[in-house]
Amino acid sequence: MTWAFDRVGGQAEIGIFGVDKQQIVAFARSTNDTVLSHVEGVLAPPVFAVVPTLDVIGRARRAVFDGFAFHGEHDLILHRAIEPDTTVLTEARVIGVQRRSIGTVVVTHAIMKDQRENLIAEHFQYSLAKGAFADQDCGRMAPAHGGVGAKHQFATTLIYPLDPDQTLRFAEASGDRSPYTFDAVAAKALGLPGPIVHGICTMAFVSRALVDLCCGGDSRRLRRLAMRFSGLLLIEPGQTISVRLGPAASTLQAKNYVFEAVDRAGTRIVSNGWAEVAA
């Protein structure tokens, strides 16, 4: 495992991704989505915006740190919905490295545009290299959002059951085929108790709650989705994701919400949740 601090804030990795209707439909089905425009492939679910960036964000992170890292936090800022027949252009670079008590966080910033240079979305992804300690901190962290340190007053809870093959279906639909999400041997080789749900899949289920309850079913109104993956969500019989959310201070432009998510045992798997919905 090596650290290339000279790549922090440097030249971006570039990715080009063509979106088609079948990809959108497969992603929606893999997260048990119920929004008609999503399942018919007319409009991509909000978290589909992660799919075109998977490879390029991974390349950018590995250019700085080539060891294994978990998806620790994600802040997705949405500017426009993705439609079929869109060519997505992504630029991604690591902007910061920060040591923590259990390892080192690598922060990657990605910008997505369509073929006409219209801004689609921005990502700030924190990757946690557990047990790997960099020699120094460098660069900068992602901009703060209102979910960090917010007073959590959750008014509503939505519970979503997970299917036994949820992670396998999601791996195929998203392109994130990390073996530890569906193979018990691979999971245990990393010290995990068993296969775990992808962070992106967890994000997608959380976004369903926000679209259903806060966006009136119109996913285009969701403008920001940020969270910390604070616990392992095991894929096991009877597993569920319970999303707890409540209103936060809003503006004329957006209604804001805080949220968290827990598994069927009540263990917190998502914290510092923050969402912004167009008013």
Side-chain angles (χ1 to χ4, degrees):
M1 296 182 293
T2 59
W3 295 91
F5 297 111
D6 60 314
R7 294 296 300 270
V8 176
Q11 183 176 352
E13 296 288 334
I14 306 296
I16 301 176
F17 188 96
V19 178
D20 60 42
K21 180 177 180 179
Q22 290 72 29
Q23 291 167 332
I24 294 173
V25 170
F27 186 89
R29 289 177 175 171
S30 76
T31 57
N32 305 347
D33 205 323
T34 57
V35 175
L36 193 60
S37 60
H38 300 166
V39 297
E40 292 184 346
V42 176
L43 199 67
V47 177
F48 181 87
V50 181
V51 175
T53 71
L54 279 173
D55 175 67
V56 64
I57 285 179
R59 284 190 278 117
R61 196 270 295 168
R62 289 191 297 273
V64 172
F65 173 69
D66 59 0
F68 177 77
F70 286 104
H71 193 174
E73 299 182 37
H74 206 109
D75 187 353
L76 172 59
I77 302 168
L78 297 154
H79 296 276
R80 64 179 62 236
I82 297 175
E83 299 177 351
D85 303 319
T86 299
T87 298
V88 178
L89 311 174
T90 303
E91 294 186 4
R93 56 171 56 84
V94 170
I95 60 170
V97 172
Q98 186 177 79
R99 292 167 293 181
R100 301 282 175 84
S101 61
I102 60 172
T104 303
V105 166
V106 181
V107 186
T108 307
H109 179 215
I111 299 174
M112 302 170 63
K113 297 180 179 179
D114 66 16
Q115 58 267 45
R116 296 181 178 85
E117 291 290 308
N118 295 312
L119 189 60
I120 297 173
E122 293 178 75
H123 302 259
F124 291 93
Q125 178 172 306
Y126 281 54
S127 301
L128 174 62
K130 194 173 181 179
F133 296 92
D135 297 329
Q136 64 185 70
D137 296 341
C138 66
R140 61 186 176 89
M141 298 294 100
H145 58 78
V148 179
K151 292 183 178 179
H152 296 129
Q153 296 180 349
F154 304 119
T156 308
T157 299
L158 283 184
I159 302 174
Y160 299 106
L162 297 180
D163 299 325
D165 64 344
Q166 196 84 59
T167 55
L168 189 59
R169 288 191 289 119
F170 186 81
E172 291 302 316
S174 68
D176 184 353
R177 298 180 177 86
S178 303
Y180 59 87
T181 62
F182 53 81
D183 183 275
V185 174
K188 290 179 180 179
L190 290 173
L192 301 172
I196 63 172
V197 178
H198 307 71
I200 307 166
C201 186
T202 302
M203 280 183 71
F205 274 91
V206 170
S207 73
R208 285 183 58 195
L210 290 158
V211 170
D212 289 345
L213 288 177
C214 308
C215 300
D218 183 358
S219 61
R220 293 168 297 184
R221 292 181 60 203
L222 185 60
R223 298 296 176 82
R224 189 172 187 178
L225 180 66
M227 67 191 72
R228 173 180 293 170
F229 304 110
S230 52
L232 299 177
L233 179 58
L234 296 173
I235 189 68
E236 57 188 14
Q239 185 63 281
T240 62
I241 298 177
S242 296
V243 183
R244 303 167 175 169
L245 58 89
S250 298
T251 66
L252 291 177
Q253 291 75 35
K255 296 181 179 179
N256 301 326
Y257 298 88
V258 289
F259 61 85
E260 68 175 15
V262 300
D263 66 9
R264 65 171 181 169
T267 302
R268 187 180 297 157
I269 55 171
V270 167
S271 60
N272 288 357
W274 178 256
E276 298 175 8
V277 175

